[in-house]
Amino acid sequence: MTTPSRITPGLAGVPESVDVVVVGLGVTGAGVALDAASRGLSVLAVDAFDLAWGTSRFSSKLVHGGLRYLASGQVGIAHESAVERGILMETTAPHLTRPLPTIVPLAPGVTRPMGALTRAALFGGDLLRRAARTSADTLPKPRRLTAAETRRLAPTLRTDGLRGAVLGWDGQLEDDARLVATIARTAADRGAAVHTHTRVVAATGTEVTLRDQLTGATTTVRTRTVINAAGVWAGDVVDDIRLRPSRGTHLVLRGDTLPGLDVAVFAPIPGQRNRFVLVLPQPDGQIYVGLTDEPAAGPVPDVAEPTEVEIGFLLDVVAASFSRPLRRSDVVGAFAGLRPLLDTGDDSTADLSRKHAVLTSPTGVVTIVGGKLTTYRRMAEDAVDAAVAHAGLRAGPCLTATLPLTGAASRPRLAELVERAETPGHARLVRRFGVDADLVIDSARAATGLPDDELLAPIDETIPVTLAELVFGVTHEGAADVADLLDRRTRVGLVPADRLRAVPAAERALELAVAANR
Ligand SMILES: Cc1cc2nc3c(=O)[nH]c(=O)nc-3n(C[C@H](O)[C@H](O)[C@H](O)COP(=O)(O)OP(=O)(O)OC[C@H]3O[C@@H](n4cnc5c(N)ncnc54)[C@H](O)[C@@H]3O)c2cc1C
């Protein structure tokens, strides 16, 4: 086995000159770094803060099939989305994705014609799946559920007047930030220099000035091309791009708030036709509820904050669909992300976010914005194609549609590894790192000298995170501080009370990893 490459915080070891500099390590920038490196180009990819600092960690964590575009007649985008979903779930990241059953309850507020429309839409979605050649073993066909079947899958749904539900399937990520970290590690394995805590303070098509955010040191790197994947901050890197972000908010609930929920539920927004709030059970037992779409005018903040009005709205919609009373105190966390919408001067922003755009500035910087997490691979391919053509680079063809991300394996193999795992901690690492789980444990053991039972134990009674993954975050994934570990390498930070309890474990992991490097 070759030694896996490491992601480095700050400027240490940054090359003096490369073929491609990538600005930003959200899902788009990480995807661009992997695409370019796998075509044989030399790559430097940097993030001002951290992997998945921006929008990419605040998504709904769904791998969408493009149903809503089909509904609005945008067949091309819908097909692209379904194809990319299939690639992620079947080839590149089976370890980080899972089929998610979703139900639309046929409650009294959903009229019979609306129910028929919903069914038709889900069957349309299945046509998309088939056109994308995704197997029905990966995403089963939709079907109508009886009221009794619906209650079994979602026992806390309101049952008065419930006629059943329509069951469909979509993809769900283990975690969006984990996907980004995995793409970035795969890029590093392919030779890309990947640096966190490194800000691009100035860029032309042939040179970037970088600042180490940890030390304040600066340097200049020569390059043949620059790809700007800075999301909602893309307009700070080049002058001629204007964005008009919109904010999407999610709530975090504990699993026992709506016990027994095995499916995602589309909760209808009372008084509105065909608008829903999604109730999404997560692989770690929590439940997310989202999402809103609010214009976010003014300067782009480093981290967007949900408002109490958005929180109240989401809670009220869910409370109307479920029999359990929901209170503000059930909301143990809330997070908001900004959609990187291009400002085209047109008033309608509704669907722009999902269309991606590749734009070349007069300085030669190629910007990639918009799109969505699901289509990151295709966005990266288009951006690298444009940059290669613009700079006249010699590069191989795009390989990423058939290039598994590090740790990937078939679903049966992954299921076998989870089955054979001796502790819940080990099983968790298989879920988050696939067949790289052993690499995580071996590296953490080598770095700390600690026994496996200590490395694989949950860091707290109610927090399943392990010391092994925290140490690996520092030694291999460019984490430099407690926030990197708790807010991005793991997602403990989504629940502030848990985060407080996890700080000592994160500090310990940092100390152990730093001591190992001395
Ligand atoms: C609420 C919400 C829910 C969503 N849900 C889904 C979903 O379920 N499924 C789906 O497919 N899509 C979803 N999306 C869309 C998807 O999340 C985004 O399209 C995607 O994450 C954007 O990624 P990005 O890499 O382009 O931007 P970002 O993730 O924001 O990355 C940009 C990066 O650039 C860095 N940066 C900025 N300036 C500089 C600089 N000067 N130097 C160096 N680095 C810099 C930032 O630190 C940041 O890390 C959702 C979006 C929102 C807002």
Side-chain angles (χ1 to χ4, degrees), residues 9-240:
L11 285 177
V14 158
E16 286 174 8
S17 103
V18 287
D19 292 327
V20 187
V21 169
V22 184
V23 189
L25 285 163
V27 73
T28 310
V32 169
L34 174 59
D35 185 300
S38 58
R39 293 191 202 207
L41 296 167
S42 59
V43 177
L44 167 64
V46 299
D47 199 283
F49 296 96
D50 188 21
L51 305 178
W53 167 272
T55 305
S56 298
R57 69 175 149 137
F58 295 126
S59 79
S60 307
K61 301 171 181 25
L62 294 173
V63 191
H64 289 296
L67 187 56
R68 52 180 291 202
Y69 311 113
L70 196 65
S72 58
Q74 303 177 74
V75 181
I77 301 182
H79 180 67
E80 178 179 285
S81 211
V83 168
E84 294 302 323
R85 176 183 64 179
I87 291 174
L88 261 167
M89 296 190 75
E90 296 189 335
T91 308
T92 55
H95 55 324
L96 301 178
T97 54
R98 65 170 187 169
L100 176 71
T102 59
I103 61 166
V104 184
L106 299 173
V110 180
T111 60
R112 286 184 190 274
M114 274 164 74
L117 207 68
T118 304
R119 245 175 110 178
L122 289 189
F123 281 88
D126 195 54
L127 280 180
L128 274 177
R129 171 194 65 77
R130 273 193 274 167
R133 298 180 190 281
T134 305
S135 160
D137 292 338
T138 305
L139 291 170
K141 295 183 172 116
R143 70 181 179 90
R144 171 83 151 76
L145 299 178
T146 63
E149 286 175 311
T150 308
R151 280 197 299 271
R152 264 200 301 283
L153 292 173
T156 47
L157 263 186
R158 270 183 203 276
T159 50
D160 36 319
L162 185 70
R163 309 192 299 280
V166 191
L167 169 72
W169 294 79
D170 215 340
Q172 185 181 38
L173 288 166
E174 162 66 26
D175 172 25
D176 43 14
R178 178 85 344 242
L179 174 70
V180 176
T182 308
I183 302 169
R185 275 205 295 125
T186 313
D189 286 348
R190 292 263 154 175
V194 182
H195 290 255
T196 54
H197 298 278
T198 302
R199 176 177 286 278
V200 171
V201 288
T204 66
T206 53
E207 192 175 270
V208 291
T209 305
L210 304 177
R211 184 173 65 223
D212 185 323
Q213 298 293 94
L214 302 169
T215 64
T218 59
T219 193
T220 300
V221 175
R222 287 188 317 279
T223 181
R224 309 273 306 277
T225 186
V226 173
I227 301 181
N228 172 17
V232 283
W233 300 277
D236 297 343
V237 178
V238 285
D239 291 335
D240 52 321

Side-chain angles (χ1 to χ4, degrees), residues 203 228 234-243 342-344 358-367 369:
N228 172 17
D236 297 343
V237 178
V238 285
D239 291 335
D240 52 321
I241 304 276
R242 283 212 326 275
L243 288 118
L342 253 191
D343 187 350
T344 55
V358 180
L359 308 148
T360 305
S361 295
T363 58
V365 174
V366 173
T367 296
V369 278

Side-chain angles (χ1 to χ4, degrees), residues 4 6 438-448 455 471-472 475-476:
R6 292 162 191 240
D438 284 343
L439 167 71
V440 176
I441 301 166
D442 293 348
S443 316
R445 198 189 301 117
T448 63
L455 289 168
V471 171
F472 188 77
T475 56
H476 287 70

Side-chain angles (χ1 to χ4, degrees), residues 389-415:
H390 184 78
L393 298 176
R394 278 165 60 95
C398 175
L399 300 177
T400 51
T402 54
L403 181 71
L405 299 181
T406 184
S410 69
R411 282 186 198 284
R413 168 101 180 103
L414 292 163

Side-chain angles (χ1 to χ4, degrees), residues 156-158 251-259 261 265 267-268 277-280 286-290 310-333:
T156 47
L157 263 186
R158 270 183 203 276
L251 312 180
V252 185
L253 311 177
R254 301 265 190 222
D256 58 9
T257 310
L258 299 172
L261 187 67
V265 176
V277 162
L278 274 171
V279 183
L280 297 160
Q286 292 176 340
I287 297 169
Y288 297 165
V289 173
E310 288 173 294
I311 294 172
F313 162 76
L314 292 170
L315 210 50
D316 287 349
V317 174
V318 179
S321 283
F322 285 82
S323 56
R324 284 237 159 170
L326 286 177
R327 297 178 203 90
R328 179 64 179 84
S329 57
D330 291 319
V331 180
V332 291

